């Protein structure tokens, strides 16, 4: 059913080469479903008019995963997709989302994915999101993801998001409201080149006693690309928040960081760190004395940084 | 000439108990000059209508200082003062500014001081600014200082600002544009209590190659007081910027930090750190095992933090 471009993109975005046999999945390509499967514990229900999915995970589901890649392999596609994840009490699950755009045409293709997570008590979610742009058309590859989390007591979510190449423009908006004892960990990796732009915005409200947030952003801006990192952590109770943003600039890249921490409670403990700069000269020299060229040394340092 | 309230406030703000004998000074009290003296190297010229001073420091002046305290000892005073400092090439000087408001009345007293620094090549300035509020009137003590710096090649300025008690509301705005090799160091210490509010805003533009900025803010918010710390460091060239904001919250105090770093050049190296939280429990316990009460231990930690 899937042609080579689709198969290849699917593999890059979600790590799967074919439609999975028995796992829960939905593969979206050019705004249509190319296949969908629910399991006993995971029910994937399309919303009306193809505008997205409701994904229901039964309480106490363990060791299952859901693949929901969204692909665009034509130019001139523009879509907004709403996916809602309803995670039952005590469920532990991995969700592999992500978007790949292969654009060989001259019109822009745009994917806007709006994901909401409703995390039941004691649930645990690992959410993996990879964004990829491909194709040699002049039309742009634009991906604007939104992720909104509401976490009940002691729920845990870890979000790993990666965008390493080919996406011309991205605006990433994430928000979370955490109940008592709930935890969010966000790990973001971005590399931009050419004239690409990337904007990231995190907004976390620590509302429940003992809740915590850890945001880690690592990014590289090459060529003439521009990046903006925003984060806001609000501590309304006994809570812990930590945000760190490390960026490497190369060539004519520009990076701005605007973090914000607000302690509204005496037991809120909030920390932010940000550092922007080029690759340290002594790191380069060290690798070059081991026989690497400057370009190879740079590549090795960048790889390690974004690992 | 000076009564006891004025003398006492003068001492607290500027460390001098009397009108100095031969040093350069201007003492402002309730919007009038209570005395002014220029020296061979330092010329203090009043602007028209008592709206402030032009202070001219001759090139290569060494080891001199200028006292320009502004006092308000009545209620219902509201003033805006413009002081411009013209620092000649190679001059090295200490400037002791600061404002004290003694308000025993029921109307607010407001001092807005707008200080501009024009720093000649290789000049070096240490600028000390202390803000104090006193008196038991219901009228508020409001101090809004602005400091704007333009620094030529290799100029250096260190600003030490302290506001530890009695000021009901303050909005502090500082900006700097640095030429090649120029340096700014800002050390700010703030403690608020009661229902006081304090806002701080730094805006530094690193325009010249080899320029650098270091901003260090330490603050304590007690009772129901609220503080907002903003900083923005823009690196437009080969430069180094570092901003750190540490805040201790007590009781129902609220602190927000909004730092911003923007690297527009591959050789810009910018770092920000912020931490907000209460006094660490183990620090308290340690001092209490040495025989201090909890209150005494708290006081000792706060004193050390703001030292």
């Amino acid at each position: 059913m899937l042609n080579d471009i689709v198969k290849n993109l699917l593999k890059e975005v979600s790590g799967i080469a074919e439609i999975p046999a028995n796992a829960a999945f939905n593969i979206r390509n050019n705004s249509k479903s190319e296949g969908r499967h629910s399991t006993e514990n995971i029910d994937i229900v399309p919303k009306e008019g193809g505008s997205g999915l409701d994904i229901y995970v039964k309480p106490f589901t363990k060791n299952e995963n859901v693949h929901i890649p969204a692909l665009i392999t034509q130019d001139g596609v523009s879509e907004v997709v709403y996916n809602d994840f309803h995670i039952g009490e005590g469920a532990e699950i991995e969700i592999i989302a992500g978007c790949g755009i292969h654009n060989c045409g001259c019109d822009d293709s745009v994917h806007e994915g709006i994901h909401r997570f409703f995390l039941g008590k004691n649930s645990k979610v690992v959410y993996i999101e990879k964004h990829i742009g491909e194709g040699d058309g002049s039309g742009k590859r634009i991906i604007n993801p939104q992720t909104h989390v509401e976490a009940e007591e002691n729920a845990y979510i870890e979000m790993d998001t990666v965008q390493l190449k080919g996406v011309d423009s991205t605006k990433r908006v994430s928000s979370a409201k955490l109940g008592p004892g709930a935890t969010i960990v966000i790990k973001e990796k971005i590399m931009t080149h050419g004239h690409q732009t990337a904007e990231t915005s995190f907004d976390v409200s620590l509302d429940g006693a003992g809740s915590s947030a850890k945001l880690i952003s690592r990014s590289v801006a090459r060529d003439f690309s521009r990046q903006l990192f925003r984060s806001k952590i609000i501590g309304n109770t006994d809570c812990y928040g930590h945000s760190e943003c490390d960026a490497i600039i190369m060539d004519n890249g520009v990076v701005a960081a605007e973090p914000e921490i607000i302690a509204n409670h005496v037991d809120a403990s909030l920390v932010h760190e940000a550092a922007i700069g080029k690759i340290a000269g002594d790191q380069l020299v060290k690798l070059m004395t081991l026989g690497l060229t400057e370009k190879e040394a740079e590549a090795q340092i960048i790889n390690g940084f974004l690992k």
Side-chain angles (χ1 to χ4, degrees), chain A residues 37-85:
Chain A
H37 183 68
S38 294
T39 64
E40 199 190 322
N41 293 318
I42 302 170
D43 200 13
I44 304 182
V45 183
K47 289 183 191 281
E48 282 185 17
S51 67
L53 307 165
D54 277 296
I55 293 152
Y56 298 92
V57 177
K58 276 193 191 159
F60 308 107
T61 300
K62 304 274 174 195
N63 300 322
E64 290 200 42
N65 55 41
V66 188
H67 285 270
I68 50 156
L71 310 177
I72 297 179
T73 50
Q74 296 170 351
D75 73 330
V77 174
S78 179
E79 61 175 14
V80 184
V81 183
Y82 298 86
N83 292 334
D84 291 335
F85 302 83

Side-chain angles (χ1 to χ4, degrees), chain A residues 245-305:
Chain A
C245 163
D246 284 299
I248 290 179
I249 40 177
M250 300 172 75
D251 314 310
N252 295 289
V254 170
V255 175
E258 290 179 23
E260 197 176 332
I261 48 180
I262 302 171
N264 286 323
H265 192 281
V266 70
D267 293 313
S269 172
L270 305 178
V271 175
H272 171 71
E273 300 163 82
I276 306 174
K278 64 177 176 181
I279 295 173
D282 52 352
Q283 269 190 291
L284 279 177
V285 170
K286 201 172 174 181
L287 288 172
M288 285 161 75
T289 57
L290 297 173
L292 273 62
T293 65
E294 190 175 346
K295 283 285 163 205
E296 287 168 344
E298 261 184 20
Q300 185 155 329
I301 290 165
I302 297 295
N303 279 345
F305 180 69

